[in-house]
Structure formats: structure tokens, C-alpha cells
Amino acid sequence: MSDDQDLATFEDVGTPERDKPPFLRLPEPATLFARRADRFAALAPGHQLEAYLAFLADLSRAQATLAGTAGPPGMPSPDELRLRAVNAMPVLPREELASNPAVSDTFDRLAERLTDVAMPDLARAALARAVAAGPEARQAMFAAVLADAVPVEAVAEHIFAAAALQVVAARRSARLDPALPQPVADGVCPCCGGPPVASTVVADLNVEGVRYVQCSLCAAQWNHVRVKCVSCGSTKGIAYQEIEGIADTIKAETCDECRTYVKILNRRKDPNLEPVADDVASLGLDLLVTEAGWHRAGVNPLLLGY
């Protein structure tokens, strides 16, 4: 692992003068999960996690189907949304989803979609347990995912719960007026209050070279300046860690102030990068960085066991 103090070896620091980039980019559920599924499928062959990545491709395809066929999700009133935004609060607090009937319904429909999907016997048994769980147990399962407090002995069923939550959360955030959510705090999604999964230097027209942090739950992306800690906002002690010999499209941005890190994906160098899928596939980088004394500033619901 290298400790890259010369940021120019990763990317040119700063961006050209341009109009201020939009603060928020809302998810597009119709394409979000399909693109993620394609990326998982492309990453799987020959990977050390090949079987798991292939399974996640199937899981993401099931999410894509649900995201494109479900009815409009319930939303708070416009007045309530505005009140939360004015008070610098997430406008769609993720805690509300634990008891949202749409989540349980989505979970059941997801389970049906996964009937013919290949998965280990232990995963199949975990899915069956989650499907059979009563209303209170299921709500507790959703609440554990949303609180980032998943019990170690029940990781498998909670991954399925997280997949259902992602679908509903993404569809809700997609219905927002992008001008409504306001900055809440470092490392907090302005839409649902979720933690980040990773950040991306984008290559899109008009915002090329701009950095966005992606929510691990609803997939909303918010602008965050580069060479600044996503977790605490510090600009001191920022460095970039990478696995030597691996293409430098993915690095861990570490902060010596709070000892956290968030991965940064460079889509200027590889436009196929996808935050959730490439975060899972680069698990080796997590292991090296955590061994060196940093800890993740966010979560990946599909890596609950790590």
C-alpha cells in the first residue's frame, strides 16, 4: 500500500473555473440498479469474490425490476419537506423506513424475484428466515440496517433487508425537488441522512472533475470538495492509499485528524466505475487500510459482514 502525499499522481487538484456545480444529484432508480448489476457481472469473472459478486449482480437485477415496476412511494407533505430542509435536516429521514409498509412489501417481492437465483444454502436459509419473520421481527431487522447495528450472527438476512430498503429509499429520494435538500453535516446524506458508501470524481459534461459523495442507502450524491475529509471536514493530514500494482482508479482517502477513510473512485480514468459495486470488489483495499489504523467513515449494505 502506498501513502500518496503527491496528489497530482492521482488527479489534478482543483477544477477549472466554471459555474458552481449542483450541490445534489438525485438517483435515477430505473437505471441505477441495472447499471450496478452490469458492473457486478463485469467484475465477477476471475475475482477472488467471484461467486459473491455474481450473486450481487442477480440481486441488483431483482432490485432494478422492482424499482421500475413499483407504484409511487409514499412521501411526506411538501410543507414537512420544506420545514426539514429549512432546519438543515435530512428531508426523508431513513429511520422512518423501518415501519414503512412499502419496505416490507418490497422485501416480499424481492424474495419472490430471488426464488430461482443461485445462492449458497446458508444464504437461502437466511432469506427463508427473513421471509417467515413476523411484523415486529421484520421491523427490527430493517431498523438494525438503518442504524448500522446489524448483529454479526444474522448478517445474511440483513443483506436482503438492506436491498429492499435501498430500493424504497432511492425511489423516494428520486421524487424530491433537487433544489430542496440542504447540507446537513459532514458525511451525512441531505436526503435520507444515510452515511456515504464512497465518493466519485465524475466525468459528466459540465461537472467533469467534480467530486460527489454517494449515499449508501438512497444513492443520492452530494458535492464535496476534494482533498477534504468526508467524515470530519478537515483538510489536514489528507492522504491517498492504494494497493501497489493495481490501477489507480480507486484509492482510499484517509484523514489523520479523525482516522477515517472514504474511497474515491476516478471516473475520469474509468467511466465504468460504480460506487457500490467497485467498493465491494476493492475489499482488499479496505483490509489494508484498516490494518494500518483507519476505519471506514461509511458503510456498504452489501458488505455487512466485513
Side-chain angles (χ1 to χ4, degrees):
M1 181 173 66
S2 70
D3 184 345
D4 188 359
Q5 298 292 348
D6 183 4
L7 304 184
T9 62
F10 177 44
E11 59 194 17
D12 294 330
V13 178
T15 54
E17 288 297 324
R18 60 163 67 87
D19 292 336
K20 187 176 180 181
F23 166 63
L24 188 67
R25 303 194 337 163
L26 296 176
E28 298 179 0
T31 58
L32 170 70
F33 297 105
R35 183 175 183 276
R36 186 175 298 166
D38 290 344
R39 184 58 175 167
F40 273 126
L43 289 167
H47 196 284
Q48 289 182 324
L49 299 175
E50 180 173 353
Y52 188 55
L53 295 177
F55 163 69
L56 292 181
D58 289 332
L59 178 62
S60 298
R61 289 190 191 96
Q63 289 177 295
T65 299
L66 296 181
T69 59
M75 298 284 285
S77 69
D79 287 343
E80 188 170 1
L81 291 174
R82 283 192 291 269
L83 180 62
R84 291 171 176 173
V86 167
N87 287 282
M89 299 169 58
V91 293
L92 295 170
R94 59 179 180 155
E95 295 81 6
E96 297 177 347
L97 291 177
S99 58
N100 189 319
V103 177
S104 188
D105 177 66
T106 299
F107 179 85
D108 286 332
R109 296 175 62 209
L110 180 67
E112 292 175 2
R113 293 274 173 188
L114 295 175
T115 300
D116 298 324
V117 169
M119 66 180 76
D121 291 341
L122 290 176
R124 182 72 64 189
L127 179 59
R129 288 194 300 273
V131 170
E136 290 186 5
R138 188 175 287 191
Q139 184 172 329
M141 183 171 60
F142 295 142
V145 172
L146 295 168
D148 305 323
V150 174
V152 176
E153 68 277 7
V155 165
E157 43 262 66
H158 284 77
I159 287 178
F160 296 113
L165 284 162
Q166 284 182 321
V167 172
V168 177
R171 297 185 69 249
R172 278 162 57 89
S173 288
R175 298 191 66 195
L176 292 171
D177 177 346
L180 181 64
Q182 301 300 309
V184 175
D186 288 316
V188 177
C189 173
C191 292
C192 74
V197 63
S199 65
T200 306
V201 176
V202 301
D204 306 36
L205 185 65
N206 299 326
V207 290
E208 194 269 340
V210 176
R211 180 193 195 184
Y212 283 91
V213 179
Q214 180 162 312
C215 177
S216 60
L217 183 66
C218 76
Q221 298 180 345
W222 64 96
N223 182 225
H224 189 87
V225 300
R226 288 147 64 179
V227 201
K228 179 179 180 182
C229 179
V230 170
S231 183
C232 73
S234 175
T235 56
K236 300 177 182 178
I238 302 297
Y240 294 88
Q241 319 294 338
E242 65 179 315
I243 297 178
E244 295 179 1
I246 303 298
D248 66 349
T249 54
I250 303 175
K251 294 194 177 187
E253 182 182 77
T254 57
C255 174
D256 285 342
E257 293 293 302
C258 65
R259 300 302 295 178
T260 67
Y261 73 93
V262 169
K263 288 178 187 169
I264 181 166
L265 285 58
N266 195 334
R267 294 192 68 191
R268 299 167 76 186
K269 295 187 176 182
D270 184 353
N272 295 314
L273 293 169
E274 198 283 327
V276 172
D278 282 277
D279 181 47
V280 175
S282 58
L283 178 61
L285 179 57
D286 292 275
L287 299 178
L288 287 173
V289 175
T290 54
E291 285 177 4
W294 288 278
H295 61 276
R296 285 185 69 118
V299 299
N300 187 328
L302 304 182
L303 274 177
L304 292 176
Y306 295 93

